[in-house]
Amino acid sequence: MSAVLGKNTRPEMVVRKAAHGLGLRFRLHDRNLPGRPDLVLPKWKTVIFVNGCFWHGHEGCRRNATPKSNAAFWAQKVAANVRRDEANGRRLGDLGWRVVTLWECQVRSIDAAASILKREFPKS
Ligand SMILES: [Zn+2]
């Protein structure tokens, strides 16, 4: 659901740069796939979502604090996003895709993103 913040949000750009630096080949925002994954790596049959911690309800993350005003409204909105993410994840799994979720708080630098990607996509 990166649509809320616009497509080219910063954490996503960091992940793209890191992936590019590792020589990973990817497509962007495949609208034919559930949830329009941010990056699609056909060779690895893997999709990557770069999720904002607040909007996607990153559990236990301090960036995921519900605002004090309109708390119920925001909590409901985020819960709906989480449900949609889960449903999309299941549909992608049914289609044979592996889903990798990177959180905004994990990709604050290209190096940080690259080390996660190296783990997820070994010898790339
Ligand atoms: Zn987080």
Side-chain angles (χ1 to χ4, degrees):
M1 253 275 298
S2 52
V4 172
L5 290 175
K7 254 180 287 169
N8 298 317
T9 53
R10 202 177 112 55
E12 191 193 318
M13 294 306 291
V14 168
V15 172
R16 273 195 225 174
K17 281 188 185 143
H20 189 76
L22 293 171
L24 294 167
R25 307 285 294 267
F26 55 87
R27 294 199 303 265
L28 296 173
H29 305 288
D30 191 332
R31 58 185 73 236
N32 297 315
L33 291 175
R36 274 180 81 181
D38 295 312
L39 281 74
V40 180
L41 292 81
K43 184 186 148 194
W44 297 82
K45 200 71 177 140
T46 298
V47 300
I48 298 177
F49 287 96
V50 184
N51 283 352
C53 295
F54 173 71
W55 285 107
H56 295 268
H58 192 194
E59 248 176 88
C61 176
R62 64 185 174 79
R63 293 180 165 220
N64 175 25
T66 305
K68 289 204 171 54
S69 60
N70 290 320
F73 168 80
W74 291 114
Q76 208 172 55
K77 225 173 158 57
V78 169
N81 288 345
V82 170
R83 277 197 303 275
R84 182 163 38 215
D85 289 345
E86 285 168 357
N88 285 332
R90 277 194 301 274
R91 287 162 65 200
L92 285 160
D94 288 347
L95 294 168
W97 291 89
R98 179 168 73 112
V99 178
V100 171
T101 300
L102 299 181
W103 294 96
E104 173 188 7
C105 63
Q106 298 175 314
V107 295
R108 296 176 73 184
S109 69
I110 293 176
D111 281 354
S115 67
I116 297 173
L117 291 175
K118 268 188 223 161
R119 211 167 54 225
E120 296 289 345
F121 306 98
K123 54 181 181 158
S124 58

